[in-house]
């Protein structure tokens, strides 16, 4: 089941990239395994996935413990509280959801302690939905400039959660906002190197995201099935 789903998604991602005139190798699949156990993660690994996304620190640390020898790259994609950074700082591969200077400061501090440079993305709320985290688009460039001042963080791009809608046009508008901010940041030369990552697109809107330039899609439901339990924090 999971292997078949991954195969199908892979084909769909490739088709969407080609349709957008892009190289399919430039779109990376992050499997979002929240609420699913180590067995499901292992099945996805056997189908070739090494990048997994999780939203909750405790769930992530438990899953990682259960899969310590796996070599998985763990992505943190949920809202991150500053007081939880210490639990993931030693090993997290990429934090997609930095939405304040205070959180960046804490990541920088923990990174310095573990002797790492932690790679992050800034989360932007592109749909003006009040329930969402992320900095407003108008404030995004200012936040980026603040994040790049921290020596133990490497800012490598932007992330957004698209609107909760099946309207592909509305999805594209939100993703276009993120892509334009990304281009503007690179035009201004914010940071020591050009930003590379646009993390956008989930099960219901990844085609629109790829059409607007996504380089990382975060897909859960289409790989693991629908979530029947709540993730815990
Ligand atoms: C749950 C989640 C996803 C995956 O959503 P699906 O609709 O299951 O593909 C992607 N990104 C974030 C931030 C999430 O919380």
């Amino acid at each position: 089941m999971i292997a078949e789903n991954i195969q199908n998604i892979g084909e769909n991602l490739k088709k969407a990239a080609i349709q957008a005139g892009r190289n399919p190798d430039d779109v990376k699949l992050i499997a979002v395994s929240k609420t699913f156990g180590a067995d499901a993660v292992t099945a996805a690994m056997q189908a070739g996935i090494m990048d997994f996304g999780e939203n909750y620190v405790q769930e992530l640390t438990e899953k990682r413990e259960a899969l310590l020898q796996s070599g998985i790259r763990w992505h943190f994609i949920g809202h991150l509280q500053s007081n939880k950074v210490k639990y993931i700082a030693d090993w997290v591969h990429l934090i997609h959801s930095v939405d304040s200077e205070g959180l960046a400061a804490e990541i920088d501090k923990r990174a310095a302690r573990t002797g790492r440079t932690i790679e992050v993305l800034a989360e932007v709320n592109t749909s003006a939905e009040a329930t969402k985290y992320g900095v407003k688009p108008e404030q995004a460039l200012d936040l980026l400039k603040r994040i790049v001042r921290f020596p133990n963080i490497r800012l490598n791009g932007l992330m957004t959660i698209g609107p909760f809608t099946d309207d592909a046009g509305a999805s594209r508008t939100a993703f276009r906002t993120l892509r334009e901010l990304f281009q503007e940041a690179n035009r201004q030369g914010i940071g020591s190197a050009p930003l590379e990552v646009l993390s956008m697109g989930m099960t219901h809107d990844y085609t629109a995201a790829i059409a607007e330039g996504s380089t990382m899609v975060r897909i859960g439901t289409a790989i693991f099935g629908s979530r029947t339990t709540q993730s815990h924090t």
Side-chain angles (χ1 to χ4, degrees):
M1 227 313 242
I2 288 175
E4 199 180 311
N5 290 345
I6 288 170
Q7 166 115 37
N8 288 337
I9 298 271
E11 283 163 17
N12 290 343
L13 296 180
K14 193 170 167 181
K15 259 186 242 159
I18 289 167
Q19 196 153 33
R22 302 183 51 210
N23 181 345
D25 294 341
D26 294 341
V27 182
K28 188 168 190 69
L29 172 59
I30 313 298
V32 177
S33 46
K34 65 186 179 205
T35 79
F36 293 95
D39 48 342
V41 172
T42 301
M45 278 183 74
Q46 283 162 355
I49 304 286
M50 286 303 283
D51 290 86
F52 291 86
E54 290 279 340
N55 290 48
Y56 296 98
V57 168
Q58 190 183 335
E59 184 181 347
L60 169 55
T61 53
E62 286 170 6
K63 226 170 275 183
R64 175 178 175 271
E65 287 289 317
L67 293 158
L68 260 192
Q69 304 305 320
S70 62
I72 286 173
R73 293 183 287 266
W74 293 107
H75 295 243
F76 193 82
I77 63 173
H79 179 63
L80 183 56
Q81 290 168 285
S82 291
N83 62 1
K84 302 259 174 87
V85 172
K86 57 178 177 283
Y87 300 116
I88 64 173
D90 286 358
W91 43 264
V92 69
H93 180 68
L94 177 63
I95 298 174
H96 291 230
S97 45
V98 176
D99 61 358
S100 74
E101 186 178 16
L103 176 58
E106 177 65 19
I107 295 170
D108 181 66
K109 183 174 107 186
R110 295 289 167 183
R113 278 193 201 178
T114 63
R116 302 181 70 204
T117 299
I118 296 182
E119 193 167 311
V120 306
L121 309 178
E123 180 173 357
V124 182
N125 181 348
T126 52
S127 59
E129 286 174 13
T131 53
K132 292 222 176 86
Y133 292 105
V135 69
K136 291 191 178 113
E138 313 85 84
Q139 289 157 4
L141 291 172
D142 180 60
L143 177 63
L144 301 185
K145 287 172 193 160
R146 291 169 190 270
I147 294 174
V148 298
R149 291 192 200 125
F150 293 105
N152 305 294
I153 291 182
R154 185 163 100 88
L155 176 72
N156 199 21
L158 302 177
M159 177 273 227
T160 198
I161 299 173
F164 297 117
T165 173
D166 289 330
D167 174 358
S171 299
R172 279 196 69 156
T173 301
F175 296 141
R176 186 174 310 126
T177 299
L178 198 72
R179 194 239 309 149
E180 287 171 354
L181 283 169
F182 174 91
Q183 289 171 330
E184 180 58 21
N186 281 340
R187 200 188 60 73
Q188 292 186 20
I190 296 174
S192 53
L195 305 180
E196 298 173 321
V197 177
L198 266 176
S199 170
M200 55 189 196
M202 305 172 26
T203 292
H204 74 283
D205 57 12
Y206 65 81
T207 304
I210 290 169
E212 289 297 337
S214 173
T215 68
M216 272 187 195
V217 291
R218 311 175 308 268
I219 295 183
T221 308
I223 293 174
F224 297 107
S226 43
R227 292 178 286 275
T228 51
T229 54
Q230 273 274 306
S231 277
H232 54 277
T233 47

